[in-house]
Each structure stands twice: as C-alpha cells, then as structure tokens.
Amino acid sequence: MASSGINLFNDGNFRIGIGDANRDGKLDLDFGIRGQQWGNSPWGGGSQGFEIGVNTQRGGYVGADQSSWNGYGSQSSYGRVFADGGFENGSAGGDVFGNWGATHTNSGPNGYYAGNAGGNVYSGQYYGNQVASNGWGYSSDSVAGNSWSGAQVGTHSQGNYYGGGASWNSYNPGFVPNYGGGHYQSGGCGCAGRFLGY
C-alpha cells in the first residue's frame, strides 16, 4: 500500500494502513513496525523510514520510503517486497514551476500493473500511461490532454488468452466534454490520476 494506501496511524514506530495492496478491489490492512528519521534545516527537510509488517492479503513484507522538500519542490519514493513473491514501488515529485509526475508499479500473483502520470498544474497539461497484465489478458492505455480545455487524445489496446483483443484511439476536442465514441474521460487531472490507482 505505502503511498497508494491511507495511514490510519503512524507515529514513526508503528503504523496501521488501509488500501488495496494487490489491486483486487478489496480493502487490505497493514500492520507494520517502523524505524523513522526526520531532518530539517533552513533550506529544506526530509524523512526516511524502514518498515517490517504484515498485509492481510499479501502476507509479510519489508519496505522503505524517503521524501525530501525545499523551496524549489519536493520528491518522494517507496518500495516493498512481499511474501507472495511480488513487489510494489512508486515515486512522486513536483517543483516550483508547477510540474509534477508520479509512478506506481505493482506485481504479484494477480498480475502486473505499471502506471505513470505527470503534467503542469498551472497550464493544465497532463499525460498518463498504464499497462496491466495477468494470466488471462493484457491492456494498455496512453492519454494526454489539457484539464482546463477538456481536450484529450488517447491510444488503447487490450487482448486476452483466447486471442480476442481490440485497439482504438480516442479524441476529445477542447471545450466539448465527453465528445466522441470511445472517449476515455472528458478531461481533467483525474484522467492521469486514475493511472496510479490513488
């Protein structure tokens, strides 16, 4: 779960979190023992932590995370290795110019997922890419657009174990929400955000 979950409690020594660690649509709980360090200065600050815990869906795990910030922006990253043989990791960052970006990867018995998204909060530009696969199928999506105008273009494909599949493009012109067949979403940073599963 890490960044893709919600902390119910975290005092730097013990943490309880809730989220969907294995992307099966069911809520999972984490119980972890943490070692946490913080540091601050007139120019910025940061933190780092190491955790050993148990997830109700994926079993035991070990993980680490770090973050830092200063007057020009911030960045963070995390990673976990689970007892089921899979892993999860991600990163996020932003700067004083409004640029932002994030990644998320999750692998385990239920399949593999990877996504990234980014953009600029001042201009409204954004992009997002995702790929998901398991023993029965595969899908990928890529979109880019502008959250203020609603303009968006996208490329999408999917296939399955039985040989079925499809690929298509989508297009939404600016200032015309939900236009056109096969549109992905009418616009807004929510489009890119859904790639990361947050």
Side-chain angles (χ1 to χ4, degrees):
M1 269 180 298
S3 296
S4 60
I6 298 171
N7 281 326
L8 301 178
F9 177 81
N10 183 2
D11 68 354
N13 298 308
F14 182 72
R15 190 183 74 83
I16 301 173
I18 189 169
D20 185 3
N22 57 354
R23 303 185 67 84
D24 65 353
K26 301 175 183 177
L27 287 180
D28 312 324
L29 282 173
D30 279 343
F31 304 92
I33 298 174
R34 288 184 62 84
Q36 189 83 39
Q37 294 179 320
W38 292 271
N40 289 290
S41 76
W43 300 278
S47 69
Q48 60 184 11
F50 178 79
E51 185 172 341
I52 299 173
V54 176
N55 179 269
T56 57
Q57 296 295 323
R58 302 191 67 172
Y61 66 84
V62 295
D65 55 77
Q66 66 83 31
S67 62
S68 63
W69 55 88
N70 57 39
Y72 297 97
S74 64
Q75 61 89 30
S76 62
S77 63
Y78 68 93
R80 282 186 175 183
V81 177
F82 291 93
D84 64 14
F87 66 88
E88 179 186 27
N89 60 48
S91 65
D95 64 27
V96 69
F97 306 108
N99 299 309
W100 63 274
T103 67
H104 179 74
T105 305
N106 194 325
S107 117
N110 293 322
Y112 173 84
Y113 170 87
N116 67 83
N120 185 283
V121 296
Y122 301 126
S123 70
Q125 307 285 24
Y126 65 84
Y127 71 88
N129 301 281
Q130 72 171 0
V131 60
S133 65
N134 56 37
W136 300 273
Y138 167 89
S139 68
S140 67
D141 296 283
S142 178
V143 299
N146 185 284
S147 57
W148 312 136
S149 70
Q152 186 184 77
V153 296
T155 302
H156 322 279
S157 65
Q158 59 186 10
N160 61 41
Y161 173 79
Y162 303 101
S167 62
W168 68 97
N169 294 322
S170 60
Y171 170 63
N172 287 334
F175 304 105
V176 185
N178 295 309
Y179 172 88
H183 70 272
Y184 195 72
Q185 188 172 326
S186 62
C189 288
C191 301
R194 71 155 285 204
F195 286 95
L196 302 175
Y198 296 151

